[in-house]
Amino acid sequence: MKSIFLESHNIKNLNFGFGQFNLHLIKALENIKTSEYQITLHGKDTSWLQEQYGDAFNYKKSFSLRRYPLFRIRKKYDLWHCLNQNIKIEPAHDIPYLLTVHNITHIKNPDSYLHEKVHQRFQEKLNRSAAITYISEYAKSSTHAFFSVPKVPEYVIYNGNPMTDTAIDDGFVPSFKPPRKYLFSIGQITGRKNFIALVKMLIHTPDYDLIIAGKNTTDTSEQLKAEAIKLGVTNRVHLIGNISGEEKKYFFAHCEAFVFPSLREGFGLPVIEAMLFGKPVFISNNTSLPEVGGKEAVYWDHFEPKYMAEVLLLGVENFRSNKKTLAPRLIARAKKFSWETAAKQYTEVYKSLLK
């Protein structure tokens, strides 16, 4: 039987995109029974992995030292799947190597970026790849725009929607109870998420509060709070930190709209999560987001606050007037993104490389 190694140690970070990608892809792979190969998962907490997946996989404990050549894994697998482009752990042997690219690290200066270690490491990963998968056409095109991509098979495999159940337990109350009608967004609070554009928009949308869930990063969170103070909307901006899965469903279900003005996204999972609840979705018209949102989303072409508010208010009014038509379309769009489909596509890539 052939052996496949999944470099999946990021599964420990379930509050981040890479962790969620690992979790849901592996769950979907568990349901695909095959005698053609055996998958080994790499993770810090192998006991937790075994509790989740039982004997569906083999397991290997990860250590931070494995990123150094002297301590690399010596077993020679038939295929190594690197689950994101930032991983520093590499195989000790020259074996078939599948790289999944989510997005390229932000290139601050297009004229002088290849000397930076993070970009050099990515180029090295591309060079050793026997095949490359991308989670969006944007991830593929941006990789080709800035790096030398070897002539190997390339595939675009969209992520699935991790939100499959919209039901909320009767009587459930989140740790933060919204005081008024609200707009909702979610993601690690960093500059590229562009949440500050939403804060600035609030002065033109007086009927709404803004709730942002996700890990607070000190500098960006403080910038948002300072902007809220300057604009006099402090009592309408709620940074609620990481939330549970049940809380996330609650905030999607009860929001007036989902708002996501991100500057860079390799995919943008929260967009299809919001759509599954039949909620109007307002997103930036750049990077991968148009691929995900399709015709069902409403787009901001720039981030001038009054313009953003006008787009939002017109879009919400249109949704209210046509909810019976628009909500089912949003739900149908969300259901097109399936982890089962993604896992089947990855297994086809595995089989092609194992031949």
Side-chain angles (χ1 to χ4, degrees):
M1 182 183 293
K2 299 287 187 178
S3 60
I4 300 175
F5 184 83
L6 260 61
E7 210 315 286
S8 53
H9 81 277
N10 280 135
I11 198 170
K12 65 184 179 182
N13 299 319
L14 294 180
N15 288 319
F16 298 88
F18 289 149
Q20 288 293 312
F21 173 84
N22 288 7
L23 176 71
H24 293 290
L25 176 60
I26 291 169
K27 277 185 176 179
L29 288 171
E30 179 188 15
N31 296 325
I32 299 176
K33 308 299 181 184
T34 178
S35 59
E36 297 178 56
Y37 55 77
Q38 178 67 47
I39 292 176
T40 295
L41 304 183
H42 193 216
K44 184 175 182 179
D45 188 349
T46 52
S47 297
W48 180 83
L49 289 173
Q50 286 181 295
E51 287 176 6
Q52 300 296 311
Y53 307 113
D55 60 1
F57 304 104
N58 292 335
Y59 304 93
K60 194 167 189 69
K61 189 173 182 63
S62 67
F63 300 95
S64 59
L65 283 174
R66 292 203 193 282
R67 69 182 62 186
Y68 301 108
L70 183 63
F71 300 98
R72 287 179 177 173
I73 293 169
R74 297 296 168 183
K75 181 173 179 178
K76 195 171 185 179
Y77 293 89
D78 295 302
L79 173 62
W80 183 290
H81 184 183
C82 182
L83 289 177
N84 82 65
Q85 73 283 349
N86 294 331
I87 290 173
K88 296 179 181 178
I89 297 169
E90 301 292 356
H93 305 283
D94 183 14
I95 57 177
Y97 186 93
L98 172 63
L99 174 63
T100 293
V101 178
H102 297 251
N103 53 60
I104 63 172
T105 301
H106 182 46
I107 293 173
K108 299 174 183 176
N109 187 345
D111 297 322
S112 61
Y113 62 93
L114 289 176
H115 71 283
E116 297 176 23
K117 286 185 179 180
V118 64
H119 300 311
Q120 291 174 349
R121 185 166 62 246
F122 181 39
Q123 183 62 64
E124 290 169 359
K125 295 172 90 66
L126 291 169
N127 293 344
R128 70 166 57 93
S129 298
I132 305 167
T133 58
Y134 304 90
I135 66 168
S136 64
E137 291 288 352
Y138 169 74
K140 180 179 179 181
S141 64
S142 59
T143 300
H144 277 264
F146 291 100
F147 295 91
S148 177
V149 180
K151 293 183 179 180
V152 297
E154 297 178 90
Y155 310 87
V156 173
I157 301 177
Y158 288 113
N159 292 342
N161 189 347
M163 188 80 71
T164 57
D165 177 18
T166 59
I168 303 171
D169 292 341
D170 290 341
F172 175 79
V173 178
S175 56
F176 171 79
K177 186 70 180 294
R180 303 196 315 150
K181 292 189 300 183
Y182 65 93
L183 309 172
F184 181 56
S185 197
I186 187 170
Q188 185 180 12
I189 298 180
T190 60
R192 76 176 177 91
K193 295 298 184 182
N194 197 26
F195 292 135
I196 197 164
L198 299 175
V199 175
K200 293 178 179 179
M201 182 185 70
L202 283 184
I203 61 173
H204 303 290
T205 57
D207 293 335
Y208 298 115
D209 280 12
L210 171 64
I211 296 177
I212 302 174
K215 182 179 179 181
N216 290 303
T217 56
T218 303
D219 290 346
T220 306
S221 298
E222 291 305 314
Q223 288 174 5
L224 295 183
K225 293 175 183 176
E227 189 67 25
I229 292 171
K230 185 176 79 173
L231 297 175
V233 296
T234 304
N235 63 329
R236 295 170 52 208
V237 177
H238 311 282
L239 308 182
I240 61 175
N242 291 330
I243 57 177
S244 68
E246 197 73 2
E247 286 178 312
K248 182 161 69 167
K249 289 197 290 185
Y250 178 94
F251 289 118
F252 276 131
H254 294 89
C255 71
E256 295 294 310
F258 179 73
V259 286
F260 200 65
S262 181
L263 300 175
R264 299 188 312 278
E265 291 293 326
F267 186 74
L269 281 175
V271 175
I272 54 174
E273 290 180 326
M275 285 182 167
L276 191 64
F277 287 82
K279 293 294 180 175
V281 167
F282 298 83
I283 58 180
S284 52
N285 190 16
N286 58 38
T287 64
S288 67
L289 291 175
E291 290 180 64
V292 178
K295 296 179 180 179
E296 286 69 33
V298 180
Y299 296 93
W300 287 305
D301 294 322
H302 59 82
F303 306 109
E304 192 278 320
K306 188 175 181 181
Y307 156 80
M308 289 182 68
E310 289 172 350
V311 171
L312 175 84
L313 295 174
L314 285 172
V316 169
E317 183 60 34
N318 180 60
F319 178 80
R320 288 173 178 163
S321 301
N322 300 280
K323 186 174 181 178
K324 288 184 178 180
T325 301
L326 296 179
R329 290 181 185 175
L330 288 158
I331 295 168
R333 177 74 182 175
K335 290 182 176 179
K336 286 183 179 180
F337 296 92
S338 160
W339 278 112
E340 179 183 0
T341 299
K344 288 178 179 177
Q345 291 174 323
Y346 277 105
T347 58
E348 291 303 311
V349 177
Y350 293 162
K351 291 176 184 177
S352 70
L353 292 172
L354 290 171
K355 287 180 182 178

